[in-house]
Amino acid sequence: MLQVENLRKVYGNELQYEALKGINLTVEDGEFIGIMGPSGSGKTTFLNLLATIDQPTSGSILLNGKNPNTLNQEEIAKFRRKELGFVFQSFNLMPTLTVEENIVLPLTLDGEKVSRMKKQVRDLAPRLGIETLLPKRIGEISGGQAQRVAVARAMIHHPELLLADEPTGNLDTKSSRDVMGLLRQLNQEEQATILMVTHDPLAASFCQRIVFIKDGELVDEMHNDGNQGRFYDRIITELARIEGVDNEF
Ligand SMILES: Nc1ncnc2c1ncn2[C@@H]1O[C@H](COP(=O)(O)OP(=O)(O)OP(=O)(O)O)[C@@H](O)[C@H]1O
Ligand SMILES: [Mg+2]
C-alpha cells in the first residue's frame, strides 16, 4: 500500500542539514507499524513527508500507486482528506466546537450529508467510549478523552493510511493503553494501515512491526511474534543499543 524509495530530506539553504538520508520502506495493506528512534533522528520529518505536509528533496513515495508529490494543491488537499488520517500529540482539536462537531469536521469539508455524518458518529462513538462526550466542548474534557476524540476524527472517513505522531505523548499509562487498544482494534476491524511514531515502548508493543531510525537512516526492524510482553522487552533492549546507553548502571 505504501512504497518509499530512497527518500531524502535536506533542510535549509546555506546551512544545510540532511534529516533523512535515503529511506526505503514497504508497508503492506493493513499493517500496524511503529517508528522509533532518538530525538532528532528524523521521525517527524518522515511522517510529514508521508502526510504531504512537506516535500522530499529527492526519492519517491507511492501510496496505492499514487505519488502525492505529483498532484497540484487542490488534489493534495483532497488526497489528504480522503486517504489520510492524522493523530498528533497536541490533539489539534478545535476548542470552540463540540466533540461531535470536531469528529465530523473531515466529512463537513467534503460536503457529506448531515444525516450520514450523524450515523457515522453514532456508529463510531460507542467503540471509542465517547458517546456521553459528544455534546461537550473540547475544553470540558480530559486529555485522554481528547486523544480518543482525535482518534475518532482521524478514523471517521475510513482513511487508507492513519499517521500518528506520539499519539500517547500526553497521556498516563491507563489512557495510553486505551488509545493503543483502540488503534489496534481499528487496525484489525477496518484493516486500516497505521504508521505511528512513538518514544513509548508500551505503545510500540501494540505494533506488528517496529522500524528503528537513527541519524536519518533506518537501522533495524523488529517483528512482533504475538507475545506482547516479550516484544516490549525486545524493544527496550534495542532502544538502549541504538541510543548507545549501556545497561551497567
Ligand atoms: N524545519 C526545519 N528546518 C531545519 N531543520 C529541521 C527542521 N525540522 C527538523 N529539522 C532537523 O531535522 C532533524 C530531524 O528532526 P525531526 O523533527 O524529524 O526529529 P524527530 O525524530 O521527530 O525528533 P523528536 O523525537 O525529538 O520529535 C533534527 O536535527 C531537526 O533539528
Ligand atoms: Mg518528532
PDB file of all heavy atoms in Angstrom, residues 73-104:
ATOM      1  N   GLN A  73      -2.094  21.541  -5.757  1.00  0.00           N
ATOM      2  CA  GLN A  73      -2.542  21.903  -4.404  1.00  0.00           C
ATOM      3  C   GLN A  73      -3.929  21.359  -4.079  1.00  0.00           C
ATOM      4  O   GLN A  73      -4.156  20.791  -3.017  1.00  0.00           O
ATOM      5  CB  GLN A  73      -2.551  23.434  -4.248  1.00  0.00           C
ATOM      6  CG  GLN A  73      -1.170  24.045  -4.071  1.00  0.00           C
ATOM      7  CD  GLN A  73      -0.432  23.464  -2.873  1.00  0.00           C
ATOM      8  OE1 GLN A  73      -1.016  23.247  -1.822  1.00  0.00           O
ATOM      9  NE2 GLN A  73       0.862  23.192  -3.041  1.00  0.00           N
ATOM     10  N   GLU A  74      -4.833  21.551  -5.031  1.00  0.00           N
ATOM     11  CA  GLU A  74      -6.213  21.136  -4.809  1.00  0.00           C
ATOM     12  C   GLU A  74      -6.314  19.618  -4.663  1.00  0.00           C
ATOM     13  O   GLU A  74      -6.999  19.095  -3.795  1.00  0.00           O
ATOM     14  CB  GLU A  74      -7.049  21.608  -6.002  1.00  0.00           C
ATOM     15  CG  GLU A  74      -8.525  21.720  -5.723  1.00  0.00           C
ATOM     16  CD  GLU A  74      -9.240  22.291  -6.938  1.00  0.00           C
ATOM     17  OE1 GLU A  74      -8.752  23.316  -7.470  1.00  0.00           O
ATOM     18  OE2 GLU A  74     -10.226  21.688  -7.370  1.00  0.00           O
ATOM     19  N   GLU A  75      -5.583  18.921  -5.552  1.00  0.00           N
ATOM     20  CA  GLU A  75      -5.594  17.458  -5.498  1.00  0.00           C
ATOM     21  C   GLU A  75      -4.967  16.951  -4.195  1.00  0.00           C
ATOM     22  O   GLU A  75      -5.413  15.965  -3.625  1.00  0.00           O
ATOM     23  CB  GLU A  75      -4.832  16.883  -6.703  1.00  0.00           C
ATOM     24  CG  GLU A  75      -5.566  17.054  -8.020  1.00  0.00           C
ATOM     25  CD  GLU A  75      -4.681  16.751  -9.232  1.00  0.00           C
ATOM     26  OE1 GLU A  75      -3.450  16.978  -9.153  1.00  0.00           O
ATOM     27  OE2 GLU A  75      -5.212  16.291 -10.239  1.00  0.00           O
ATOM     28  N   ILE A  76      -3.914  17.641  -3.743  1.00  0.00           N
ATOM     29  CA  ILE A  76      -3.258  17.240  -2.495  1.00  0.00           C
ATOM     30  C   ILE A  76      -4.219  17.379  -1.323  1.00  0.00           C
ATOM     31  O   ILE A  76      -4.326  16.487  -0.478  1.00  0.00           O
ATOM     32  CB  ILE A  76      -1.975  18.073  -2.229  1.00  0.00           C
ATOM     33  CG1 ILE A  76      -0.842  17.547  -3.103  1.00  0.00           C
ATOM     34  CG2 ILE A  76      -1.567  18.012  -0.765  1.00  0.00           C
ATOM     35  CD1 ILE A  76       0.492  18.137  -2.827  1.00  0.00           C
ATOM     36  N   ALA A  77      -4.957  18.487  -1.287  1.00  0.00           N
ATOM     37  CA  ALA A  77      -5.909  18.708  -0.199  1.00  0.00           C
ATOM     38  C   ALA A  77      -6.954  17.595  -0.173  1.00  0.00           C
ATOM     39  O   ALA A  77      -7.298  17.056   0.881  1.00  0.00           O
ATOM     40  CB  ALA A  77      -6.568  20.073  -0.353  1.00  0.00           C
ATOM     41  N   LYS A  78      -7.431  17.229  -1.360  1.00  0.00           N
ATOM     42  CA  LYS A  78      -8.440  16.185  -1.466  1.00  0.00           C
ATOM     43  C   LYS A  78      -7.852  14.820  -1.062  1.00  0.00           C
ATOM     44  O   LYS A  78      -8.477  14.050  -0.331  1.00  0.00           O
ATOM     45  CB  LYS A  78      -8.948  16.134  -2.908  1.00  0.00           C
ATOM     46  CG  LYS A  78     -10.144  15.251  -3.086  1.00  0.00           C
ATOM     47  CD  LYS A  78     -10.860  15.520  -4.396  1.00  0.00           C
ATOM     48  CE  LYS A  78     -11.881  14.439  -4.659  1.00  0.00           C
ATOM     49  NZ  LYS A  78     -11.969  14.057  -6.059  1.00  0.00           N
ATOM     50  N   PHE A  79      -6.647  14.564  -1.526  1.00  0.00           N
ATOM     51  CA  PHE A  79      -5.934  13.322  -1.212  1.00  0.00           C
ATOM     52  C   PHE A  79      -5.783  13.160   0.306  1.00  0.00           C
ATOM     53  O   PHE A  79      -6.057  12.111   0.869  1.00  0.00           O
ATOM     54  CB  PHE A  79      -4.560  13.389  -1.883  1.00  0.00           C
ATOM     55  CG  PHE A  79      -3.657  12.234  -1.590  1.00  0.00           C
ATOM     56  CD1 PHE A  79      -3.758  11.053  -2.294  1.00  0.00           C
ATOM     57  CD2 PHE A  79      -2.683  12.341  -0.615  1.00  0.00           C
ATOM     58  CE1 PHE A  79      -2.905   9.994  -2.033  1.00  0.00           C
ATOM     59  CE2 PHE A  79      -1.817  11.291  -0.351  1.00  0.00           C
ATOM     60  CZ  PHE A  79      -1.939  10.115  -1.059  1.00  0.00           C
ATOM     61  N   ARG A  80      -5.361  14.253   0.966  1.00  0.00           N
ATOM     62  CA  ARG A  80      -5.190  14.237   2.417  1.00  0.00           C
ATOM     63  C   ARG A  80      -6.496  13.934   3.127  1.00  0.00           C
ATOM     64  O   ARG A  80      -6.552  13.145   4.056  1.00  0.00           O
ATOM     65  CB  ARG A  80      -4.736  15.623   2.886  1.00  0.00           C
ATOM     66  CG  ARG A  80      -3.286  15.681   3.232  1.00  0.00           C
ATOM     67  CD  ARG A  80      -2.996  17.029   3.831  1.00  0.00           C
ATOM     68  NE  ARG A  80      -1.848  17.605   3.166  1.00  0.00           N
ATOM     69  CZ  ARG A  80      -1.637  18.901   3.014  1.00  0.00           C
ATOM     70  NH1 ARG A  80      -2.507  19.775   3.474  1.00  0.00           N
ATOM     71  NH2 ARG A  80      -0.565  19.313   2.422  1.00  0.00           N
ATOM     72  N   ARG A  81      -7.569  14.595   2.675  1.00  0.00           N
ATOM     73  CA  ARG A  81      -8.857  14.419   3.342  1.00  0.00           C
ATOM     74  C   ARG A  81      -9.419  13.027   3.131  1.00  0.00           C
ATOM     75  O   ARG A  81     -10.029  12.455   4.007  1.00  0.00           O
ATOM     76  CB  ARG A  81      -9.864  15.447   2.816  1.00  0.00           C
ATOM     77  CG  ARG A  81      -9.648  16.843   3.340  1.00  0.00           C
ATOM     78  CD  ARG A  81     -10.954  17.608   3.318  1.00  0.00           C
ATOM     79  NE  ARG A  81     -11.603  17.626   2.019  1.00  0.00           N
ATOM     80  CZ  ARG A  81     -11.357  18.533   1.072  1.00  0.00           C
ATOM     81  NH1 ARG A  81     -10.458  19.459   1.285  1.00  0.00           N
ATOM     82  NH2 ARG A  81     -11.990  18.491  -0.065  1.00  0.00           N
ATOM     83  N   LYS A  82      -9.229  12.488   1.915  1.00  0.00           N
ATOM     84  CA  LYS A  82      -9.870  11.223   1.581  1.00  0.00           C
ATOM     85  C   LYS A  82      -9.051  10.010   2.010  1.00  0.00           C
ATOM     86  O   LYS A  82      -9.601   9.015   2.449  1.00  0.00           O
ATOM     87  CB  LYS A  82     -10.119  11.141   0.066  1.00  0.00           C
ATOM     88  CG  LYS A  82     -11.250  12.031  -0.389  1.00  0.00           C
ATOM     89  CD  LYS A  82     -12.076  11.315  -1.458  1.00  0.00           C
ATOM     90  CE  LYS A  82     -13.257  12.122  -1.912  1.00  0.00           C
ATOM     91  NZ  LYS A  82     -14.384  12.079  -0.991  1.00  0.00           N
ATOM     92  N   GLU A  83      -7.745  10.077   1.848  1.00  0.00           N
ATOM     93  CA  GLU A  83      -6.950   8.865   2.014  1.00  0.00           C
ATOM     94  C   GLU A  83      -6.131   8.826   3.296  1.00  0.00           C
ATOM     95  O   GLU A  83      -5.620   7.784   3.660  1.00  0.00           O
ATOM     96  CB  GLU A  83      -5.996   8.678   0.821  1.00  0.00           C
ATOM     97  CG  GLU A  83      -6.607   9.132  -0.476  1.00  0.00           C
ATOM     98  CD  GLU A  83      -6.454   8.113  -1.591  1.00  0.00           C
ATOM     99  OE1 GLU A  83      -5.808   7.092  -1.382  1.00  0.00           O
ATOM    100  OE2 GLU A  83      -7.006   8.377  -2.667  1.00  0.00           O
ATOM    101  N   LEU A  84      -5.969   9.971   3.954  1.00  0.00           N
ATOM    102  CA  LEU A  84      -5.127  10.001   5.133  1.00  0.00           C
ATOM    103  C   LEU A  84      -5.914  10.387   6.373  1.00  0.00           C
ATOM    104  O   LEU A  84      -6.858  11.158   6.303  1.00  0.00           O
ATOM    105  CB  LEU A  84      -3.985  11.016   4.954  1.00  0.00           C
ATOM    106  CG  LEU A  84      -3.045  10.836   3.764  1.00  0.00           C
ATOM    107  CD1 LEU A  84      -2.017  11.961   3.754  1.00  0.00           C
ATOM    108  CD2 LEU A  84      -2.345   9.489   3.824  1.00  0.00           C
ATOM    109  N   GLY A  85      -5.484   9.846   7.510  1.00  0.00           N
ATOM    110  CA  GLY A  85      -5.990  10.310   8.799  1.00  0.00           C
ATOM    111  C   GLY A  85      -4.792  10.684   9.655  1.00  0.00           C
ATOM    112  O   GLY A  85      -3.721  10.095   9.519  1.00  0.00           O
ATOM    113  N   PHE A  86      -4.962  11.670  10.506  1.00  0.00           N
ATOM    114  CA  PHE A  86      -3.846  12.121  11.350  1.00  0.00           C
ATOM    115  C   PHE A  86      -4.219  12.127  12.828  1.00  0.00           C
ATOM    116  O   PHE A  86      -5.296  12.564  13.186  1.00  0.00           O
ATOM    117  CB  PHE A  86      -3.458  13.572  11.028  1.00  0.00           C
ATOM    118  CG  PHE A  86      -3.153  13.816   9.592  1.00  0.00           C
ATOM    119  CD1 PHE A  86      -4.113  14.340   8.746  1.00  0.00           C
ATOM    120  CD2 PHE A  86      -1.902  13.522   9.093  1.00  0.00           C
ATOM    121  CE1 PHE A  86      -3.835  14.568   7.418  1.00  0.00           C
ATOM    122  CE2 PHE A  86      -1.615  13.747   7.762  1.00  0.00           C
ATOM    123  CZ  PHE A  86      -2.580  14.269   6.920  1.00  0.00           C
ATOM    124  N   VAL A  87      -3.299  11.673  13.655  1.00  0.00           N
ATOM    125  CA  VAL A  87      -3.428  11.882  15.105  1.00  0.00           C
ATOM    126  C   VAL A  87      -2.120  12.470  15.587  1.00  0.00           C
ATOM    127  O   VAL A  87      -1.059  11.848  15.402  1.00  0.00           O
ATOM    128  CB  VAL A  87      -3.671  10.559  15.865  1.00  0.00           C
ATOM    129  CG1 VAL A  87      -3.865  10.843  17.348  1.00  0.00           C
ATOM    130  CG2 VAL A  87      -4.880   9.827  15.318  1.00  0.00           C
ATOM    131  N   PHE A  88      -2.182  13.662  16.150  1.00  0.00           N
ATOM    132  CA  PHE A  88      -0.956  14.281  16.629  1.00  0.00           C
ATOM    133  C   PHE A  88      -0.978  14.447  18.137  1.00  0.00           C
ATOM    134  O   PHE A  88      -2.036  14.481  18.757  1.00  0.00           O
ATOM    135  CB  PHE A  88      -0.709  15.628  15.941  1.00  0.00           C
ATOM    136  CG  PHE A  88      -0.367  15.473  14.497  1.00  0.00           C
ATOM    137  CD1 PHE A  88      -1.051  16.185  13.535  1.00  0.00           C
ATOM    138  CD2 PHE A  88       0.613  14.597  14.098  1.00  0.00           C
ATOM    139  CE1 PHE A  88      -0.741  16.031  12.192  1.00  0.00           C
ATOM    140  CE2 PHE A  88       0.924  14.433  12.764  1.00  0.00           C
ATOM    141  CZ  PHE A  88       0.247  15.162  11.803  1.00  0.00           C
ATOM    142  N   GLN A  89       0.218  14.586  18.679  1.00  0.00           N
ATOM    143  CA  GLN A  89       0.381  14.646  20.126  1.00  0.00           C
ATOM    144  C   GLN A  89      -0.411  15.801  20.731  1.00  0.00           C
ATOM    145  O   GLN A  89      -0.991  15.688  21.794  1.00  0.00           O
ATOM    146  CB  GLN A  89       1.861  14.815  20.425  1.00  0.00           C
ATOM    147  CG  GLN A  89       2.204  14.760  21.883  1.00  0.00           C
ATOM    148  CD  GLN A  89       3.686  14.942  22.088  1.00  0.00           C
ATOM    149  OE1 GLN A  89       4.455  15.024  21.136  1.00  0.00           O
ATOM    150  NE2 GLN A  89       4.082  15.005  23.330  1.00  0.00           N
ATOM    151  N   SER A  90      -0.427  16.922  20.040  1.00  0.00           N
ATOM    152  CA  SER A  90      -1.080  18.104  20.600  1.00  0.00           C
ATOM    153  C   SER A  90      -2.571  18.152  20.264  1.00  0.00           C
ATOM    154  O   SER A  90      -3.200  19.188  20.385  1.00  0.00           O
ATOM    155  CB  SER A  90      -0.394  19.351  20.077  1.00  0.00           C
ATOM    156  OG  SER A  90      -0.313  19.281  18.674  1.00  0.00           O
ATOM    157  N   PHE A  91      -3.085  17.012  19.811  1.00  0.00           N
ATOM    158  CA  PHE A  91      -4.519  16.816  19.567  1.00  0.00           C
ATOM    159  C   PHE A  91      -5.064  17.595  18.364  1.00  0.00           C
ATOM    160  O   PHE A  91      -5.774  17.040  17.565  1.00  0.00           O
ATOM    161  CB  PHE A  91      -5.373  17.174  20.793  1.00  0.00           C
ATOM    162  CG  PHE A  91      -4.954  16.481  22.047  1.00  0.00           C
ATOM    163  CD1 PHE A  91      -4.978  17.142  23.260  1.00  0.00           C
ATOM    164  CD2 PHE A  91      -4.538  15.160  22.024  1.00  0.00           C
ATOM    165  CE1 PHE A  91      -4.591  16.508  24.426  1.00  0.00           C
ATOM    166  CE2 PHE A  91      -4.153  14.518  23.178  1.00  0.00           C
ATOM    167  CZ  PHE A  91      -4.176  15.207  24.381  1.00  0.00           C
ATOM    168  N   ASN A  92      -4.729  18.887  18.220  1.00  0.00           N
ATOM    169  CA  ASN A  92      -5.245  19.664  17.092  1.00  0.00           C
ATOM    170  C   ASN A  92      -6.757  19.656  16.959  1.00  0.00           C
ATOM    171  O   ASN A  92      -7.284  19.618  15.859  1.00  0.00           O
ATOM    172  CB  ASN A  92      -4.653  19.142  15.766  1.00  0.00           C
ATOM    173  CG  ASN A  92      -3.219  19.548  15.595  1.00  0.00           C
ATOM    174  OD1 ASN A  92      -2.851  20.652  15.981  1.00  0.00           O
ATOM    175  ND2 ASN A  92      -2.417  18.676  15.043  1.00  0.00           N
ATOM    176  N   LEU A  93      -7.438  19.674  18.079  1.00  0.00           N
ATOM    177  CA  LEU A  93      -8.893  19.771  18.021  1.00  0.00           C
ATOM    178  C   LEU A  93      -9.296  21.241  18.131  1.00  0.00           C
ATOM    179  O   LEU A  93      -8.550  22.058  18.659  1.00  0.00           O
ATOM    180  CB  LEU A  93      -9.516  18.954  19.164  1.00  0.00           C
ATOM    181  CG  LEU A  93      -9.217  17.456  19.107  1.00  0.00           C
ATOM    182  CD1 LEU A  93      -9.638  16.778  20.397  1.00  0.00           C
ATOM    183  CD2 LEU A  93      -9.887  16.806  17.915  1.00  0.00           C
ATOM    184  N   MET A  94     -10.484  21.561  17.631  1.00  0.00           N
ATOM    185  CA  MET A  94     -10.953  22.950  17.668  1.00  0.00           C
ATOM    186  C   MET A  94     -11.673  23.208  18.987  1.00  0.00           C
ATOM    187  O   MET A  94     -12.739  22.640  19.221  1.00  0.00           O
ATOM    188  CB  MET A  94     -11.933  23.208  16.518  1.00  0.00           C
ATOM    189  CG  MET A  94     -11.412  22.785  15.175  1.00  0.00           C
ATOM    190  SD  MET A  94     -10.139  23.912  14.650  1.00  0.00           S
ATOM    191  CE  MET A  94     -10.990  24.690  13.315  1.00  0.00           C
ATOM    192  N   PRO A  95     -11.117  24.090  19.829  1.00  0.00           N
ATOM    193  CA  PRO A  95     -11.643  24.262  21.187  1.00  0.00           C
ATOM    194  C   PRO A  95     -13.063  24.809  21.249  1.00  0.00           C
ATOM    195  O   PRO A  95     -13.801  24.508  22.176  1.00  0.00           O
ATOM    196  CB  PRO A  95     -10.662  25.238  21.845  1.00  0.00           C
ATOM    197  CG  PRO A  95      -9.904  25.870  20.737  1.00  0.00           C
ATOM    198  CD  PRO A  95      -9.937  24.913  19.581  1.00  0.00           C
ATOM    199  N   THR A  96     -13.460  25.582  20.228  1.00  0.00           N
ATOM    200  CA  THR A  96     -14.781  26.212  20.310  1.00  0.00           C
ATOM    201  C   THR A  96     -15.884  25.299  19.792  1.00  0.00           C
ATOM    202  O   THR A  96     -17.063  25.591  19.948  1.00  0.00           O
ATOM    203  CB  THR A  96     -14.819  27.512  19.490  1.00  0.00           C
ATOM    204  OG1 THR A  96     -14.440  27.193  18.149  1.00  0.00           O
ATOM    205  CG2 THR A  96     -13.851  28.534  20.048  1.00  0.00           C
ATOM    206  N   LEU A  97     -15.508  24.196  19.167  1.00  0.00           N
ATOM    207  CA  LEU A  97     -16.522  23.264  18.649  1.00  0.00           C
ATOM    208  C   LEU A  97     -16.772  22.156  19.668  1.00  0.00           C
ATOM    209  O   LEU A  97     -15.935  21.885  20.530  1.00  0.00           O
ATOM    210  CB  LEU A  97     -16.049  22.637  17.337  1.00  0.00           C
ATOM    211  CG  LEU A  97     -15.761  23.582  16.170  1.00  0.00           C
ATOM    212  CD1 LEU A  97     -15.375  22.778  14.940  1.00  0.00           C
ATOM    213  CD2 LEU A  97     -16.952  24.475  15.870  1.00  0.00           C
ATOM    214  N   THR A  98     -17.916  21.496  19.534  1.00  0.00           N
ATOM    215  CA  THR A  98     -18.196  20.348  20.397  1.00  0.00           C
ATOM    216  C   THR A  98     -17.384  19.143  19.907  1.00  0.00           C
ATOM    217  O   THR A  98     -16.824  19.155  18.808  1.00  0.00           O
ATOM    218  CB  THR A  98     -19.687  19.952  20.356  1.00  0.00           C
ATOM    219  OG1 THR A  98     -19.980  19.488  19.037  1.00  0.00           O
ATOM    220  CG2 THR A  98     -20.585  21.107  20.733  1.00  0.00           C
ATOM    221  N   VAL A  99     -17.384  18.097  20.742  1.00  0.00           N
ATOM    222  CA  VAL A  99     -16.718  16.848  20.390  1.00  0.00           C
ATOM    223  C   VAL A  99     -17.283  16.314  19.071  1.00  0.00           C
ATOM    224  O   VAL A  99     -16.541  15.962  18.149  1.00  0.00           O
ATOM    225  CB  VAL A  99     -16.886  15.823  21.533  1.00  0.00           C
ATOM    226  CG1 VAL A  99     -16.520  14.415  21.067  1.00  0.00           C
ATOM    227  CG2 VAL A  99     -16.030  16.231  22.734  1.00  0.00           C
ATOM    228  N   GLU A 100     -18.611  16.296  18.982  1.00  0.00           N
ATOM    229  CA  GLU A 100     -19.246  15.769  17.772  1.00  0.00           C
ATOM    230  C   GLU A 100     -18.847  16.590  16.534  1.00  0.00           C
ATOM    231  O   GLU A 100     -18.516  16.029  15.486  1.00  0.00           O
ATOM    232  CB  GLU A 100     -20.768  15.762  17.925  1.00  0.00           C
ATOM    233  CG  GLU A 100     -21.461  15.285  16.649  1.00  0.00           C
ATOM    234  CD  GLU A 100     -22.886  14.809  16.884  1.00  0.00           C
ATOM    235  OE1 GLU A 100     -23.462  15.126  17.944  1.00  0.00           O
ATOM    236  OE2 GLU A 100     -23.412  14.104  16.007  1.00  0.00           O
ATOM    237  N   GLU A 101     -18.856  17.908  16.675  1.00  0.00           N
ATOM    238  CA  GLU A 101     -18.503  18.756  15.535  1.00  0.00           C
ATOM    239  C   GLU A 101     -17.051  18.544  15.108  1.00  0.00           C
ATOM    240  O   GLU A 101     -16.729  18.543  13.920  1.00  0.00           O
ATOM    241  CB  GLU A 101     -18.739  20.240  15.892  1.00  0.00           C
ATOM    242  CG  GLU A 101     -20.218  20.601  15.956  1.00  0.00           C
ATOM    243  CD  GLU A 101     -20.494  21.903  16.705  1.00  0.00           C
ATOM    244  OE1 GLU A 101     -19.593  22.439  17.383  1.00  0.00           O
ATOM    245  OE2 GLU A 101     -21.636  22.380  16.605  1.00  0.00           O
ATOM    246  N   ASN A 102     -16.182  18.328  16.105  1.00  0.00           N
ATOM    247  CA  ASN A 102     -14.788  18.056  15.777  1.00  0.00           C
ATOM    248  C   ASN A 102     -14.641  16.753  14.996  1.00  0.00           C
ATOM    249  O   ASN A 102     -13.872  16.678  14.041  1.00  0.00           O
ATOM    250  CB  ASN A 102     -13.949  17.981  17.061  1.00  0.00           C
ATOM    251  CG  ASN A 102     -13.323  19.312  17.430  1.00  0.00           C
ATOM    252  OD1 ASN A 102     -12.319  19.704  16.846  1.00  0.00           O
ATOM    253  ND2 ASN A 102     -13.936  20.006  18.368  1.00  0.00           N
ATOM    254  N   ILE A 103     -15.387  15.746  15.434  1.00  0.00           N
ATOM    255  CA  ILE A 103     -15.249  14.433  14.789  1.00  0.00           C
ATOM    256  C   ILE A 103     -15.709  14.477  13.331  1.00  0.00           C
ATOM    257  O   ILE A 103     -15.090  13.870  12.454  1.00  0.00           O
ATOM    258  CB  ILE A 103     -16.022  13.353  15.575  1.00  0.00           C
ATOM    259  CG1 ILE A 103     -15.382  13.153  16.955  1.00  0.00           C
ATOM    260  CG2 ILE A 103     -16.038  12.024  14.813  1.00  0.00           C
ATOM    261  CD1 ILE A 103     -16.162  12.235  17.873  1.00  0.00           C
ATOM    262  N   VAL A 104     -16.791  15.195  13.068  1.00  0.00           N
ATOM    263  CA  VAL A 104     -17.319  15.191  11.692  1.00  0.00           C
ATOM    264  C   VAL A 104     -16.637  16.217  10.781  1.00  0.00           C
ATOM    265  O   VAL A 104     -16.947  16.281   9.586  1.00  0.00           O
ATOM    266  CB  VAL A 104     -18.856  15.407  11.635  1.00  0.00           C
ATOM    267  CG1 VAL A 104     -19.568  14.285  12.376  1.00  0.00           C
ATOM    268  CG2 VAL A 104     -19.251  16.769  12.189  1.00  0.00           C
TER     269      VAL A 104
END
